[in-house]
């Protein structure tokens, strides 16, 4: 009984202890749960505030970009987005105000924020009005004073400061919560041990209690994880805690990203390793901890060092954490890389995406800082796969080298030499395939130093075309070189794309001096113009009109001398469009001989005119004295015939005869030299009428000889009627004159001669002519018969030949002795009036 | 040489403007058989012909001719000028002018009639032809035609 009661007492004591322990543990659990709930709330709240601040900033950035878009383009559709974004910005401002109503520090910042956004919009509205009223230049000038940018910067600074404040509060609260949770943990462990010990005999009851305790511990762990995950999840801020001595206790993902250390590498290490060596030597880390400890918070902007030794500009907020008794528990640090790419990216993103080419921004270390969608597409990478990577990965050769200074010049100078010039390089896609590119570099000042913007153009198509051209060049070169003339192939811009050796020789240039040059350099006038379309026709048409016809132009040699050329153009289809092949012939010699010919013809004509004049004058002037001789010998013969002796009569008779013959010759010569000189304008006449006139002139001869003259129907012809009459008269006259014993029969006809000639024929049944004399009979004063047989000087056919030839025709004879003759003459058919 | 042959009849005064003595002689020979009494005066160039007409120098007492025989190709003053001057003179233009020349050119024929020549004759190249021409002048101009005679002072 005593034992029993003792046992009971012990059990009761144990129970009592267990109950007490239970009560204590329960209280601690309850408190832990409360802390966890409170923390939960804070985490959610902070998150909300941060989110709204971020949205506010984004809205304002959108306001800014719509504004700039409108100013640059003048397109009023931007105004819609501008106003909508500003309305949302106002909405976010209200939300932030509501969320931070319990935080006087944040509330104090709000008026500044609202005033800045209002001023910014006022400024923007002013510029927009200027843009609408006075155009781009006025608006640009108004923007140029930097007010807008300054307002925007200040606005962003306030937002950031508010974000920092929220995060600082959160960190502060988490330090506090962690302390309280730690205390709760210790109490729980102690209470549990005590309870286990006390309830050694009442395990079941203690075990029953333990369900409540387990629930509390779970809750605690969950809440701790929640805030940890928030802190850990922050990428843009390095958030970590330090013990009072400056050793790192916790480390988030942002810290890892910004500083390059993993949590396990850095926890337990002193934070002074984030400082520059010089700063450490000056004792700056300690000073800042001291400052934060004494004033509760320190904010500073200075250089920090990453794990890899690279520097970055950081904005650092150190906050001291103390317990309720004021004991220093440690510090939280929130830092931000303010040279962050994010800012650069925000600034240039719009610009980059608008560019038609792939754009990549690279820093001096050859790392890709920024790129646009086109670059992603062209190279086959996702953005994330390229940012931070070496540019060598996508452009293996020739780019990075251009960023690196050699001993004698700085990177800036090296770059300056490349700026604006297209460099042809090879780019490599993610799949390892290569393609030709042309890149244009331009520098971009930034906090990180000079960045390089590279516009990358895929020139595979152009390269292929060039290759095609090269192939074509190969194919045509043989042809070109084989040509006897200088050959030049010109594109539509008038640039020489191909030429042969003869062209080099003719113009005195080397091939490489002409390729790519304007054709105007060697053919100053008349060629390039033929390639250019005017308002009414296309280039192709303009060219088509010239194709195949020789154009006479002037060529210019390298030494500046000119020479006459003839060019023949022909089109040449190519991938570049229609090219023009010009065959160029040096016609200096031809021109010389043409000039020579013209001169010779002129001289001949002059000499011929002189001769004709001479013949006329001579025959006319010879006639006068001859007439005296003839007249007086005849007078002698008349008065003194039979009064002197018979010898005197004979002598006088010879003198009379000689002088008469001479008079005949002179008259014929005069007739011959005159023949055709007083030609009339050609007109359409009836050749039958001409024949009739000729026959009427021959009436006496026809009657005397009893000749039978017949003719076919004769056509109309455009010619000189007097001359045609004379020719017909001479030929019919001859036909009658050189007759046999038979009755003379003469037939005249005319026929078209395939070509453009009318051939007249005069056929007779007369003596006929031996073919050996066919040429001779047309020569002046050439006779086949003695004077005793037939009168005449041998002028008739010579005159016929002269007249027919003056009319552009020809004359010939077909005959056999004893078988009659046929005289033909062909006159050109002209379009008469 | 200007002796009247037939005292009873009024002689006809003819001025021959001719530089060739052979032609002058032939003309004179041909006129020998003329039906009328002819006083043949000779000027051997155009200048002398105009002096004769103006009765200058040795021609102070020369009679006004009833007919002028004018060659075209003359020394000093050309026959074409002489014709023009004669036909432009109100006092002299009524005197008939017969062009007697070797030229057969259309230009000369046309030009002469344009300047009011009264007829144009090309000298035949043979003697018979020439004699015939002179006889024709005699029978037509000197016998058949009524010439505008002007009262002598």
């Amino acid at each position: 009984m005593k034992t029993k009661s003792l046992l009971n007492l012990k059990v009761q004591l144990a129970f009592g202890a267990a109950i007490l322990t239970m009560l204590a543990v329960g209280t601690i659990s309850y408190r832990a749960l409360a802390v966890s709930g409170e923390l939960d709330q804070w985490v959610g709240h902070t998150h909300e505030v941060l989110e709204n601040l971020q949205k506010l900033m984004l809205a304002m950035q959108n306001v800014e970009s719509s504004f700039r878009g409108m100013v640059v383009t003048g397109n009023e559709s931007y105004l819609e987005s501008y106003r909508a974004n500003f309305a949302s910005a106002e909405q976010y401002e209200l939300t932030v105000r509501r969320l931070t109503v319990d935080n006087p520090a944040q509330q104090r910042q709000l008026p500044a924020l609202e005033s800045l956004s209002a001023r910014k919009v006022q400024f923007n509205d002013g510029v927009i009005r200027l843009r609408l009223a006075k155009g781009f230049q006025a608006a640009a000038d108004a923007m140029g004073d930097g007010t807008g940018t300054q307002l925007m910067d200040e606005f962003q600074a306030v937002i950031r400061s508010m974000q920092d404040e929220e995060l600082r509060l959160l960190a502060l609260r988490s330090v506090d919560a962690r302390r309280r949770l730690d205390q709760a943990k210790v109490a729980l462990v102690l209470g549990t041990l005590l309870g286990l010990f006390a309830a050694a005999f009442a395990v079941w009851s203690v075990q029953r209690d333990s369900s409540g305790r387990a629930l509390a511990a779970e809750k605690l762990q969950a809440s701790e994880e929640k805030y940890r995950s928030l802190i850990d999840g922050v990428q843009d801020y390095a958030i970590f805690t330090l013990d009072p001595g400056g050793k790192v206790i916790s480390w988030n993902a942002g810290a890892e990203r910004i500083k390059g250390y993993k949590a396990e590498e850095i926890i337990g290490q002193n934070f002074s390793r984030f400082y520059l060596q010089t700063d450490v030597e000056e004792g700056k880390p300690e000073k800042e901890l001291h400052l934060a400890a004494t004033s509760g918070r320190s904010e500073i902007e200075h250089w920090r060092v990453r794990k890899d030794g690279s520097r970055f500009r950081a904005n650092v907020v150190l906050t001291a954490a103390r317990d309720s008794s004021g004991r220093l528990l440690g510090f939280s640090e929130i830092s931000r890389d303010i040279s962050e790419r994010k800012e650069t990216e925000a600034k240039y993103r719009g610009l980059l995406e608008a560019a038609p080419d792939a754009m990549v921004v690279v820093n001096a270390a050859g790392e890709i800082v920024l790129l646009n969608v086109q670059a992603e597409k062209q190279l086959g990478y996702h953005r994330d796969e390229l940012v931070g990577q070496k540019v060598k990965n996508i452009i293996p050769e020739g780019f990075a080298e251009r960023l690196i200074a050699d001993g004698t010049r700085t990177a800036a100078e090296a770059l300056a030499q490349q700026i604006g010039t297209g460099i042809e390089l090879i780019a490599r896609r993610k799949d390892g395939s290569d393609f030709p590119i042309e890149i244009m570099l331009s520098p971009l000042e930034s906090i990180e130093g000079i960045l390089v913007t590279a516009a990358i153009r895929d020139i595979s198509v152009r390269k292929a075309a060039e290759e095609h051209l090269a192939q074509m060049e190969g194919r045509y070169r043989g042809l070109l070189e084989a040509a006897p003339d200088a050959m030049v192939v010109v594109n539509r811009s008038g640039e020489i794309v191909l030429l042969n050796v003869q062209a080099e020789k003719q113009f005195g240039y080397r091939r490489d001096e002409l390729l790519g040059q304007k054709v105007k350099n060697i053919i100053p006038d008349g060629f390039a113009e033929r390639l250019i379309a005017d308002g009414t026709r296309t280039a192709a048409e303009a060219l088509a009109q010239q194709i195949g016809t020789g154009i006479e132009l002037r060529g210019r040699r390298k030494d500046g001398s000119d020479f006459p050329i003839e060019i023949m153009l022909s089109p040449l289809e190519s991938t570049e469009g229609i090219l023009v092949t010009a065959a160029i012939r040096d016609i200096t010699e031809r021109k010389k001989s043409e000039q020579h010919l013209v001169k010779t013809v002129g001289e001949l004509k002059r000499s011929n005119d002189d001769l004709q004049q001479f013949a006329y004058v001579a025959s006319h002037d010879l006639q006068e004295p001859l007439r005296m001789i003839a007249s007086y010998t005849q007078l002698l013969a008349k008065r003194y015939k039979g009064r002197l002796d018979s010898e005197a009569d004979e002598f006088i008779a010879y003198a009379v005869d000689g002088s008469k013959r001479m008079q005949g010759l002179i008259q014929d010569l005069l007739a011959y030299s005159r023949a055709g000189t007083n030609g009339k304008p050609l007109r359409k006449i009836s050749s039958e009428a001409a024949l009739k006139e000729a026959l009427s002139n021959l009436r006496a001869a026809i009657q005397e000889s009893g000749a039978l003259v017949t003719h076919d129907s004769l056509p109309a012809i455009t010619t000189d009627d007097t001359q045609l009459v004379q020719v017909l008269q001479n030929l019919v006259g001859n036909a009658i004159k050189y007759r046999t014993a038979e009755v003379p029969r003469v037939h005249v006809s005319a026929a078209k001669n395939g070509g453009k000639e009318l051939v007249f024929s005069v056929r007779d049944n007369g003596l006929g002519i031996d073919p050996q004399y066919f040429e001779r009979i047309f020569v002046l004063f050439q006779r086949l018969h003695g004077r005793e047989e037939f009168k005449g000087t041998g002028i008739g056919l010579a005159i016929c030949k002269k007249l027919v030839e003056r009319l552009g025709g020809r004359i010939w004879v077909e005959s056999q002795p004893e078988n009659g003759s046929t005289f033909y003459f062909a006159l050109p058919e002209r379009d008469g009036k | 040489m200007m002796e009247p042959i037939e005292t009873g009849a009024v002689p006809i005064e003819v001025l021959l403007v001719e530089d060739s003595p052979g032609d002058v002689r032939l003309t004179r020979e041909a006129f020998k058989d003329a039906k009328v009494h002819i006083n043949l005066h000779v000027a051997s160039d155009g200048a002398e012909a105009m002096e004769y007409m103006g009765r200058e120098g040795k021609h102070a007492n020369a009679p006004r001719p009833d007919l002028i025989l004018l060659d075209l190709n003359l020394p000093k003053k050309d026959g074409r000028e002489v014709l023009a001057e004669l036909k432009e003179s109100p006092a002299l233009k009524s005197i008939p002018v017969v062009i007697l020349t070797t030229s057969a050119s259309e230009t000369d024929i046309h030009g002469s009639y344009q300047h009011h020549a009264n007829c144009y004759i090309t000298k035949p190249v043979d003697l018979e032809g020439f004699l015939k021409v002179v006889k024709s002048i005699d029978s037509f101009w000197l016998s058949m035609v009524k010439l505008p005679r002007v009262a002598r002072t």
Side-chain angles (χ1 to χ4, degrees), chain A residues 51-342:
Chain A
E51 192 179 284
N52 275 286
L53 282 171
Q54 193 60 37
K55 281 179 178 167
L56 173 56
M57 181 135 89
L58 271 174
M60 277 308 280
Q61 277 168 353
N62 287 339
V63 165
E64 186 65 6
S65 61
S66 306
F67 161 66
R68 284 177 187 265
M70 190 277 160
V71 171
V72 172
T73 63
N75 186 339
E76 295 189 30
S77 67
Y78 279 106
L79 290 178
E80 216 168 280
S81 132
Y82 170 77
R83 298 218 168 86
N85 277 305
F86 183 60
S88 353
E90 283 181 319
Q91 207 55 49
Y92 295 133
E93 274 177 7
L94 285 174
T95 312
V96 170
R97 177 174 285 278
R98 181 172 51 73
L99 287 172
T100 57
V101 75
D102 59 338
N103 187 335
Q106 296 288 59
Q107 290 280 312
R108 276 196 298 279
Q109 304 237 49
L110 279 173
L113 195 65
E114 283 161 359
S115 133
L116 279 170
S117 61
R119 276 166 62 200
K120 178 65 182 124
V121 166
Q122 193 181 0
F123 171 81
N124 286 357
D125 288 348
V127 174
I128 285 167
R129 276 193 297 279
L130 266 177
R131 178 65 176 89
L132 290 172
K134 296 185 180 167
F136 176 73
Q137 198 50 53
D141 289 346
M143 281 172 76
D145 71 356
T147 312
T149 317
Q150 196 192 334
L151 286 170
M152 197 64 193
D153 288 348
E154 284 176 27
F155 179 83
Q156 292 185 346
V158 173
I159 295 267
R160 261 184 229 115
S161 144
M162 288 180 75
Q163 286 175 333
D164 291 352
E165 175 65 13
E166 278 305 310
L167 287 165
R168 188 189 67 81
L169 281 173
L170 184 67
L172 205 57
R173 280 162 191 148
S174 37
V175 168
D176 186 41
R178 171 185 275 262
R179 182 179 53 78
R180 285 157 69 186
L181 285 168
D182 282 351
Q183 285 172 353
K185 264 186 201 167
V186 172
L188 268 174
V189 171
L190 286 175
T192 306
L193 284 174
L194 188 66
L196 277 171
F197 181 72
F201 305 102
V203 178
W204 58 271
S205 69
V206 174
Q207 273 176 336
R208 188 193 291 169
D209 283 3
S210 72
S211 61
R213 188 196 61 205
L215 186 67
E218 213 173 274
K219 278 249 181 190
L220 186 64
Q221 206 176 350
S223 77
E224 194 179 326
E225 263 163 23
K226 246 184 212 167
Y227 92 83
R228 188 176 286 283
S229 70
L230 175 72
I231 299 284
D232 282 353
V234 174
Q235 286 276 345
D236 295 346
Y237 291 84
I239 302 175
F240 55 95
T241 49
L242 303 173
D243 71 5
K247 275 193 187 131
V248 177
I249 302 171
S250 71
W251 194 249
N252 78 340
E256 183 180 329
R257 192 181 68 77
I258 293 172
K259 297 208 194 313
Y261 294 97
K262 290 195 185 316
E264 58 267 29
E265 291 175 324
I266 196 65
I267 286 177
Q269 303 290 325
N270 195 286
F271 89 122
S272 63
R273 65 178 55 217
F274 307 143
Y275 284 73
L276 295 180
Q277 193 53 42
T278 49
D279 290 348
V280 174
E281 279 161 17
E282 284 173 32
K284 278 195 181 162
E286 292 80 13
K287 278 182 199 162
E288 268 157 42
L289 282 185
H290 180 70
L291 182 68
T294 49
S295 64
R297 183 174 184 270
S298 86
E299 182 168 354
I300 191 167
E301 214 180 276
H302 65 184
W303 287 103
R304 282 285 179 94
V305 183
R306 295 194 188 89
K307 183 186 173 187
D308 63 8
S310 61
R311 297 167 170 208
F312 65 101
R313 196 76 184 163
N315 173 284
V316 180
V317 178
L318 264 175
T319 312
R322 291 174 188 278
D323 63 11
S324 46
S325 61
R327 196 164 54 90
L328 183 67
L329 296 171
F331 303 91
S332 65
E333 185 192 303
I334 302 172
S335 55
R336 193 160 46 87
D337 182 347
I338 55 173
S339 57
E340 262 297 11
R341 290 142 191 168
K342 289 262 173 207

Side-chain angles (χ1 to χ4, degrees), chain A residues 624 627-628 632 634 639 663, chain B residues 22-23 29 102 125 127 131:
Chain A
E624 276 305 302
R627 201 166 51 81
M628 286 302 106
Y632 280 94
Q634 284 168 43
R639 293 255 176 102
Q663 278 178 328
Chain B
D23 275 334
E29 286 295 325
T102 49
V125 288
L127 180 69
L131 294 178

Side-chain angles (χ1 to χ4, degrees), chain A residues 634-666:
Chain A
Q634 284 168 43
L635 196 57
L636 260 180
K638 189 181 173 189
R639 293 255 176 102
Y640 298 99
K641 195 167 183 177
R643 288 170 67 180
L644 302 170
D645 58 24
S646 60
E647 263 194 335
D649 287 351
E650 190 188 346
F651 294 169
I652 290 170
Y654 283 133
V656 168
D657 182 55
S659 64
K660 277 187 176 170
R661 272 199 293 124
M662 182 124 183
Q663 278 178 328
L665 283 173
I666 287 175

Side-chain angles (χ1 to χ4, degrees), chain A residues 41 43 225 337 370 386 494 534 564 610 657 677 686 714 805:
Chain A
Q41 227 179 325
V43 166
E225 263 163 23
D337 182 347
L370 210 57
L386 283 179
D534 58 28
D610 285 352
D657 182 55
T677 52
S686 152
L714 298 178
E805 285 177 356

Side-chain angles (χ1 to χ4, degrees), chain B residues 3-125:
Chain B
E3 289 303 307
I5 291 166
E6 230 179 310
T7 42
V10 181
I12 292 178
E13 308 293 334
V14 173
L15 173 63
L16 174 65
V17 189
E18 172 62 69
D19 64 321
S20 158
D23 275 334
V24 173
R25 179 64 202 266
L26 280 180
T27 309
R28 206 178 280 284
E29 286 295 325
F31 275 143
K32 271 185 181 163
D33 304 326
K35 298 181 179 100
V36 291
H37 184 87
I38 296 168
N39 280 341
L40 191 66
H41 311 273
V42 175
S44 56
D45 60 60
E48 198 191 341
M50 293 319 291
E51 280 169 22
Y52 179 96
M53 295 310 293
R55 295 180 185 169
E56 291 167 25
K58 61 177 181 176
H59 303 292
N61 297 316
R64 173 185 167 104
D66 299 306
L67 181 75
I68 299 173
L69 300 177
L70 181 63
D71 191 5
L72 289 181
N73 298 315
L74 293 170
K76 292 189 188 169
K77 188 173 260 181
D78 184 80
R80 297 162 190 86
E81 292 171 73
V82 173
L83 175 65
E85 284 181 33
L86 287 175
K87 292 300 178 184
E88 276 162 23
S89 156
L92 302 177
K93 67 180 177 186
S94 61
I95 305 173
V97 177
V98 171
I99 304 295
L100 188 62
T101 179
T102 49
S103 165
S105 96
E106 290 285 329
T107 322
D108 281 339
I109 297 169
H110 255 88
S112 297
Y113 284 112
Q114 283 288 330
H115 284 101
H116 310 289
N118 298 77
C119 82
Y120 188 101
I121 300 168
T122 302
K123 288 179 190 168
V125 288

Side-chain angles (χ1 to χ4, degrees), chain A residues 511-579:
Chain A
R511 190 173 301 252
D512 56 321
E513 292 174 317
L514 282 180
L515 283 175
Q517 295 304 305
K518 291 276 177 193
V519 72
K520 265 202 178 290
N521 293 349
I522 57 168
I523 304 174
D525 296 307
F527 186 177
E529 289 78 356
R530 290 190 155 78
L531 301 175
I532 297 163
D534 58 28
T536 57
R537 50 184 194 172
T538 67
E541 281 171 349
L543 186 60
Q545 294 177 356
Q546 312 294 339
I547 299 292
T549 57
I551 313 158
E552 289 192 7
L553 297 172
R554 306 280 312 167
R556 179 166 297 162
R557 297 193 192 88
K558 190 180 178 183
D559 64 12
S561 58
D562 276 11
F563 62 106
I565 54 171
E566 182 184 66
I567 65 173
M568 298 271 285
L569 305 180
S570 60
L572 187 62
E573 292 279 350
S574 85
T575 44
E576 276 187 84
I578 290 182
L579 298 176

Side-chain angles (χ1 to χ4, degrees), chain A residues 372-607:
Chain A
N372 67 358
V373 173
Q374 287 84 338
E376 289 181 279
K377 277 191 205 157
Q378 253 180 43
L379 297 161
Y381 284 94
H382 189 264
R383 190 177 305 255
D384 298 345
E385 294 172 315
L386 283 179
V387 170
Q389 296 303 307
K390 290 281 180 187
V391 74
K392 265 202 178 292
N393 293 348
I394 54 164
I395 304 174
E397 278 165 33
F399 187 176
E401 289 78 354
R402 288 191 157 76
L403 303 172
I404 297 163
D406 59 25
T408 57
R409 50 183 195 173
T410 67
E413 281 171 349
L415 186 58
Q417 294 176 355
Q418 312 294 340
I419 300 291
T421 57
I423 313 162
E424 292 192 6
L425 296 174
I426 298 291
R428 182 164 296 164
R429 298 193 188 87
K430 189 180 177 185
D431 63 13
S433 57
D434 285 355
F435 63 103
I437 54 165
E438 183 182 70
I439 65 174
M440 299 271 286
L441 304 178
S442 60
L444 191 63
E445 292 279 352
S446 85
I447 311 167
E448 278 188 280
I450 290 182
L451 297 177
V452 175
T453 307
I456 301 174
R457 182 166 296 176
D458 183 345
I459 54 169
S460 338
V461 175
R462 196 179 81 193
K463 277 281 170 193
E466 278 172 14
E467 237 165 76
H468 180 86
L469 193 67
Q471 273 179 359
M472 193 188 76
E473 186 173 329
R475 211 177 311 148
Y476 289 113
R477 174 160 307 286
L479 264 174
L480 286 191
E481 295 301 354
D485 294 326
M487 302 284 288
V488 169
V489 181
V490 176
N491 66 15
R492 283 171 75 166
S493 325
E495 290 153 358
I496 298 171
V497 296
L498 215 58
L499 68 156
N500 67 358
V501 171
Q502 287 83 341
E504 289 182 88
K505 276 189 206 152
Q506 227 174 67
F507 292 97
Y509 284 94
R510 281 200 323 274
R511 190 173 301 252
D512 56 321
E513 292 174 317
L514 282 180
L515 283 175
Q517 295 304 305
K518 291 276 177 193
V519 72
K520 265 202 178 290
N521 293 349
I522 57 168
I523 304 174
D525 296 307
F527 186 177
E529 289 78 356
R530 290 190 155 78
L531 301 175
I532 297 163
D534 58 28
T536 57
R537 50 184 194 172
T538 67
E541 281 171 349
L543 186 60
Q545 294 177 356
Q546 312 294 339
I547 299 292
T549 57
I551 313 158
E552 289 192 7
L553 297 172
R554 306 280 312 167
R556 179 166 297 162
R557 297 193 192 88
K558 190 180 178 183
D559 64 12
S561 58
D562 276 11
F563 62 106
I565 54 171
E566 182 184 66
I567 65 173
M568 298 271 285
L569 305 180
S570 60
L572 187 62
E573 292 279 350
S574 85
T575 44
E576 276 187 84
I578 290 182
L579 298 176
V580 176
T581 306
I584 303 169
R585 184 167 296 176
D586 183 343
I587 52 170
T588 310
E589 286 306 314
R590 195 176 85 191
K591 280 275 163 195
K592 257 189 215 161
S593 57
E594 272 174 19
Q595 278 169 3
H596 183 73
L597 196 66
V598 166
K599 206 175 132 198
T600 310
V601 166
E603 279 170 3
L604 259 173
K605 189 175 180 329
R606 214 165 24 252
S607 126

